Amino acid sequence: MDVLNNKKYGAHILALPYPSQGRINPMLQFCKRLVSKSLKTTLAITNFISHSVRPISNTVGIDTISDGFDEGGYAEADTVVTYLERFKKIGSQTLADLIKKYEKSEFPITCVIYDAFMPWALDVAKDHGLIGACFFTQACAVNYIYYYVHQRKLTLPISSPPVRIPGLPELELRDMPSFIYIHGTYRAYFELVLNQFINVDKADYVFVNSFYKLEAEVVDTMSKVTPVSTIGPTLPSLYLDNRVENDIEYGLSLFHVDASTCINWLNTKVEGSVVYVAFGSMSTLDNEQMKEIAWGLKATNCYFLWVVRTSDEAKIPKNFIEETSEKGLLINWSPQLQVLSNKAIGCFFTHGGWNSTTEALSLGVPMVVMPLWTDQTTNAKLVQDVWSVGVRVNFNEKGFVGREEIEKCVRTVIEGDKGKEMKKNALKWKDLAKEAVNEGGTSDKNIEEFVSKCTK
């Protein structure tokens, strides 16, 4: 039986994620949550993503739009600006076509939920008389900093830190998103994050991929200017409240993983003894930094599981694998949720991307954060100084993190009294993350309210 079409639904939601894995997965998870509340949902991914991963979902419908680069996606464009401009033009046209297609079906679209990186989708939704809901994938704190800049309440470049923004701790320059603290870098991306707010006041709902108790102060502050609803964390339900049937993994991966090797290896290790090292799908480290990470890990004398992409294998120092064969395991990609939820993991050495950060918080794993760009610098500040679940590395005058610093930070988290306190705090956030999505929790109530409005 086709469960997608043989069920009564209260409304039909079309969800439009920005086409990268780190943004598709939270949106897809939100869709699964909405299906569990009896809304029909369809995830509209680009033709290129669809060809690359051939996604399948038993509960969420999958359809496509075009970003104008059907053969190669983002890599086919010559510049970021070219990609974004064409995506806006072709994406708007094909989104309108998709909405029209469903107008003639049994389930016409009721609401478009769009990634905040694509504000043009709200214009298309409104042109068709639909409910429009903006979805912010990153932390509320980061969104509010961008909002402040967009509203010209913060003048750039920043001349006299610390920066004081209501609802946030005092922020030094290095705590700001990288587009701000290194002013003038990645101009197209900076414009992208600021443009999230160009028409947000016209959205009927604004969702944030976070949970209220994690960011209560900034959520309350931002809500005074743009009412926001926290609906996260957006992990598969198995790792949280386990109320969404068969929701055991993200279900959309641009990378194909054999989980057995690393999980079997972890299962032979003592509880809390392994450092898990992974820097996300988009980060690139140079030879010098890879060398410092390698020798820093060796110096800790801890067991470690290190994700090294095939393209980075040549950067591993000569003899390192042989010299650490009894302590370390290097893999090309990992089933991150399975890894982080394994009792052997004592520390997550991460770039501090928002998905990785919320996964660690939701699974009770303390962190060493080495932020590289975009929102990661602000996330690192929150991890260390607000949520007290980890330490942030210091970069040296040459712009990389030395082996001694890596060894010191890992030892701080995995050994001693400070590490025990971080673990205790991490377990507190784990409980609060579960509470948020469980029946009657803050995220659950926000989702219920949205469902109720959509089905009136």
Side-chain angles (χ1 to χ4, degrees), residues 87-106:
F87 189 15
K88 178 181 178 179
K89 181 184 176 188
I90 305 299
S92 296
Q93 292 168 2
T94 52
L95 174 59
D97 292 342
L98 192 59
I99 291 168
K100 286 172 192 162
K101 180 181 95 171
Y102 282 104
E103 279 174 5
K104 298 168 184 161
S105 75
E106 189 185 346

Side-chain angles (χ1 to χ4, degrees), residues 136 138-148 168 175-177 180 193 196-197 215 218 222 354 374-379 382:
F136 284 97
Q138 296 176 322
C140 193
V142 171
N143 300 328
Y144 195 50
I145 292 170
Y146 290 144
Y147 174 81
Y148 235 64
L168 295 174
D175 303 326
M176 304 297 279
I180 295 172
V193 297
Q196 294 178 108
F197 301 98
E215 299 194 88
V218 71
M222 189 168 178
W354 186 236
T374 183
D375 62 328
Q376 297 159 18
T377 39
T378 308
N379 297 341
L382 300 172

Side-chain angles (χ1 to χ4, degrees), residues 98-130:
L98 192 59
I99 291 168
K100 286 172 192 162
K101 180 181 95 171
Y102 282 104
E103 279 174 5
K104 298 168 184 161
S105 75
E106 189 185 346
F107 302 108
I109 304 298
T110 314
C111 168
V112 174
I113 301 177
Y114 66 95
D115 187 297
F117 276 10
M118 297 138 72
W120 46 263
L122 178 60
D123 299 331
V124 177
K126 289 301 169 190
D127 286 346
H128 290 80
L130 303 177

Side-chain angles (χ1 to χ4, degrees), residues 34-49:
L34 294 174
V35 170
S36 76
K37 309 276 190 188
S38 297
L39 294 189
K40 179 176 175 64
T41 67
T42 298
L43 187 79
I45 54 177
T46 61
N47 290 321
F48 172 70
I49 295 284

